[in-house]
Amino acid sequence: MGSQPSKALLTESIVPNHYFRQLFDQTSYTYTYLLGDVQTKDAILIDPVFEMAERDMQIIKQLGLTLKYAVNTHVHADHITASGKLKSALSSCKSIIGQKSGAKADIYIDDGDTIEFGKQILECRSTPGHTNGCMSYVWHDKCMVFTGDCLLVRGCGRTDFQQGNAKELYNSIHTKLFSLPNHYLIYPAHDYTGQTCSTIGEEKVHNPRTAKSLDQFTEIMSNLKLSYPKQIDKALPANLACGIQEDTV
């Protein structure tokens, strides 16, 4: 028998080169994602929630990270982004949102752009349909995709307001997301049924909306009869201004 590797070498070989935390806001059912690079300690937050900013900053501090970007998948209607609050508290932080969102931000991204933090890279994919500025972020090195409201676990974003378009959403899902390998993990912006993630392959087969034909999908989306979002009248104006509210500045 050959010599066995030392315990120290075994431990070193399994240390990840990244940080990943999936955080949840129980009021808006929003997932916020903290991604970081172990070596440089650069980090980003995807879809941070205003009321949860202190929690997120505490985790960032505990892990010894530097928040480089607060990234939004789109202009949300159900909660206020923490981008502005994080920028005010952390001088290192800049805000990012899609070019077509119509919202204020430090950096605008479009299809094919990348977001870099340390040695980690996210590919930006334009996935409109829920809103015209929706973006999804693909972490190819980790086989993950952060889909915002475009594609949810066994569902998708609504298309009955805020530039929604069912045909456009269907095309975004099938051309920009379902073109990814089946094993890629889907991490959505929201979940209302207690599920944390899915895979591209699962959603292709089991999603009751997106697994249908375009005509069937359009019919489903036009008959959802969803209630008016509770926070939309406050959230939309604030999110268009990077989450800055007059009574908080």
Side-chain angles (χ1 to χ4, degrees):
M1 294 179 62
S3 60
Q4 297 296 314
S6 68
K7 184 177 181 179
L9 287 175
L10 286 173
T11 302
E12 183 179 353
S13 68
I14 61 174
V15 172
N17 66 351
H18 69 287
Y19 293 93
F20 172 70
R21 300 289 186 274
Q22 184 179 39
L23 307 167
F24 189 62
D25 171 45
Q26 295 183 6
T27 300
S28 62
Y29 299 94
T30 300
Y31 283 124
T32 295
Y33 299 97
L34 173 62
L35 284 57
D37 183 82
V38 167
Q39 184 174 348
T40 67
K41 298 292 186 176
D42 285 342
I44 69 170
L45 279 170
I46 298 176
D47 288 333
V49 176
F50 184 86
E51 291 80 4
M52 307 306 293
E54 283 77 13
R55 174 204 63 185
D56 298 346
M57 286 189 286
Q58 182 180 28
I59 297 172
I60 288 168
K61 182 179 179 180
Q62 289 172 343
L63 295 177
L65 301 174
T66 299
L67 186 63
K68 189 174 181 181
Y69 301 124
V71 184
N72 286 287
T73 54
H74 64 292
V75 176
H76 294 272
D78 48 13
H79 71 270
I80 296 173
T81 178
S83 294
K85 191 172 185 178
L86 292 166
K87 285 173 54 181
S88 297
L90 304 171
S91 60
S92 61
C93 178
K94 293 184 177 181
S95 59
I96 295 179
I97 201 165
Q99 180 71 49
K100 298 180 178 66
S101 67
K104 293 182 180 179
D106 296 311
I107 299 171
Y108 296 101
I109 44 92
D110 209 342
D111 192 67
D113 289 339
T114 58
I115 298 172
E116 299 183 15
F117 50 105
K119 295 184 178 180
Q120 311 302 322
I121 300 174
L122 298 184
E123 178 199 350
C124 305
R125 294 195 177 192
S126 177
T127 49
H130 172 61
T131 74
N132 57 6
C134 284
M135 301 294 299
S136 294
Y137 305 110
V138 188
W139 203 0
H140 287 288
D141 190 48
K142 312 306 175 191
C143 300
M144 297 177 178
V145 54
F146 303 91
T147 56
D149 282 19
C150 178
L151 181 62
L152 307 177
V153 179
R154 307 298 192 266
C156 63
R158 61 195 295 177
T159 58
D160 57 333
F161 70 97
Q162 204 181 356
Q163 312 99 33
N165 184 297
K167 182 178 180 180
E168 195 168 37
L169 180 61
Y170 186 89
N171 288 336
S172 291
I173 292 169
H174 281 261
T175 62
K176 295 297 181 67
L177 298 178
F178 284 176
S179 59
L180 292 168
N182 286 338
H183 66 278
Y184 271 42
L185 292 168
I186 292 169
Y187 287 97
H190 302 281
D191 188 81
Y192 307 95
T193 63
Q195 300 184 78
T196 58
C197 70
S198 182
T199 67
I200 293 293
E202 282 184 41
E203 296 308 310
K204 284 181 179 179
V205 175
H206 300 297
N207 192 302
R209 298 179 187 176
T210 62
K212 307 292 186 180
S213 69
L214 173 58
D215 289 342
Q216 290 173 317
F217 178 80
T218 303
E219 179 69 18
I220 290 170
M221 298 306 291
S222 64
N223 289 286
L224 291 179
K225 297 181 174 61
L226 298 173
S227 60
Y228 191 71
K230 293 180 181 180
Q231 296 193 61
I232 186 172
D233 293 329
K234 183 178 180 180
L236 279 184
N239 289 336
L240 288 170
C242 197
I244 302 296
Q245 304 165 79
E246 290 184 1
D247 58 350
T248 64
V249 296

